[in-house]
Amino acid sequence: MCRWLAYRGEPLHPSRLVLDAQHSLVAQSLNSPLGAETVNGDGFGFGWYPTGAVAGSIPAVFHSIEPAWHDENLRELTRAIESPLFFSHVRAAAGPPIQQTNCHPFRYENWLFMHNGALAGFSETKRDLTFAIDPSLYSHVHGTTDSEVLFHLALTFGLHDDPVGAMTKAVQLVESVGHDHGVRFAMQGTIAVSDGSTLWAFRYSSEGRSRTLFHSADIPSLRQMYPDVPQLQNFGVSAQVVVSEPLVDLPGAFLEVPESTVVVLDESGYRHQPFMAVAD
């Protein structure tokens, strides 16, 4: 459906990953070998926290319905900004119209959220799922995508206090409502969410055949493995990327995130833990 990347670490110009990497996100928008769609040209989004961001910092967002490879503003922004935590997403529309309010990442207060995948049978389950959103949050749903509904369900279930628990409850509801409407495998996708300090990335599908997701190896190890690759000097020792597809062809530079897993990136580094059980 889409491609995305999320970065956490020392502040850097996002263009190094969004534009300049061997298989940058903009390059993936034109040619995505591991994606459900090869071309992702139905708009894009970029969200970033300012340098010095902590939990509670308000991110900025930029959305466009232009293809990412065609938008000069994206190039200007990502080359001028420095950020310690940013999201970027390129979209292949699978039904909802091409409009800015349907472009990821979505923002609520200090939270950013983006999703690659789909809620199967959403046209049948949309009413039930939307009505499950807390009334105080309903007016903040500006677009028509299943992804934005999923985000607000997670907020409803306590994303602020327990992101993993809230996402678990949101996905369980999606699956339960889907089953009520005859949808066997309701949830599909990879999700990134952040409060401005910690980054959580989820890979899960009801069928156990999720969209691809990778995380980068740690920079000190990569510098030892590839001492003659000067680009690695551009990244700090804490730099970590979670991405739909590897950004470079260097063996060992990116490791696949297992099925039914949540990746957590914070000041202590990278770790992952199981996320829900795969449905029978």
Side-chain angles (χ1 to χ4, degrees):
M1 299 291 181
C2 311
R3 302 278 87 181
W4 60 255
L5 70 78
Y7 169 85
R8 187 190 187 283
E10 291 84 358
L12 56 72
H13 293 295
S15 59
R16 295 192 184 280
L17 304 175
V18 176
L19 298 175
D20 301 334
Q22 180 183 8
H23 303 299
S24 69
L25 193 65
V26 168
Q28 291 181 27
S29 71
L30 280 163
N31 182 19
S32 174
L34 299 183
E37 292 81 18
T38 302
V39 178
N40 298 269
D42 297 325
F44 68 88
F46 174 59
W48 71 99
Y49 294 89
T51 298
V54 296
S57 296
I58 304 300
V61 293
F62 172 62
H63 296 135
S64 173
I65 60 172
E66 295 282 345
W69 65 81
H70 185 64
D71 196 291
E72 286 297 323
N73 290 319
L74 178 64
R75 299 178 183 277
E76 291 289 330
L77 279 172
T78 57
R79 287 173 176 160
I81 291 165
E82 283 195 336
S83 171
L85 202 166
F86 57 85
F87 285 11
S88 193
H89 184 284
V90 292
R91 183 169 182 246
I98 300 170
Q99 59 193 46
Q100 285 193 21
T101 54
N102 285 342
C103 292
H104 309 222
F106 301 105
R107 176 182 61 186
Y108 177 76
E109 295 181 346
N110 61 303
W111 291 87
L112 285 178
F113 177 99
M114 59 185 175
H115 172 220
N116 170 29
L119 308 187
F122 185 61
S123 58
E124 290 77 31
T125 63
K126 180 178 180 180
R127 183 180 184 277
D128 291 348
L129 293 176
T130 302
F131 276 21
I133 295 172
D134 187 283
S136 67
L137 296 168
Y138 183 81
S139 63
H140 297 279
V141 180
H142 299 300
T144 61
T145 64
D146 53 357
S147 302
E148 192 176 14
V149 169
L150 182 62
F151 177 33
H152 284 79
L153 287 172
L155 288 166
T156 296
F157 289 127
L159 188 69
H160 293 85
D161 300 319
D162 181 6
V164 176
M167 284 306 311
T168 299
K169 291 177 182 177
V171 171
Q172 287 174 336
L173 179 66
V174 167
E175 293 183 326
S176 175
V177 172
H179 290 162
D180 291 344
H181 288 267
V183 180
R184 184 180 180 192
F185 302 121
M187 178 65 197
Q188 165 63 256
T190 61
I191 295 164
V193 63
S194 180
D195 61 356
S197 177
T198 302
L199 165 63
W200 295 266
F202 302 80
R203 186 185 185 202
Y204 175 80
S205 62
S206 306
E207 193 176 5
R209 299 177 61 185
S210 304
R211 298 285 190 264
T212 57
L213 191 65
F214 297 82
H215 73 86
S216 59
D218 67 274
I219 293 297
S221 296
L222 286 174
R223 288 174 179 168
Q224 289 185 349
M225 293 167 62
Y226 298 104
D228 298 326
V229 177
Q231 291 87 347
L232 294 174
Q233 303 304 317
N234 295 326
F235 298 93
V237 296
S238 299
Q240 290 276 6
V241 183
V242 185
V243 65
S244 298
E245 296 186 28
L247 299 176
V248 294
D249 289 335
L250 294 175
F254 283 87
L255 307 174
E256 187 171 10
V257 175
E259 287 274 1
S260 301
T261 296
V262 54
V263 172
V264 183
L265 297 176
D266 57 21
E267 291 182 354
S268 66
Y270 167 91
R271 63 187 185 277
H272 68 257
Q273 62 192 58
F275 177 72
M276 300 189 57
V278 177
D280 293 332

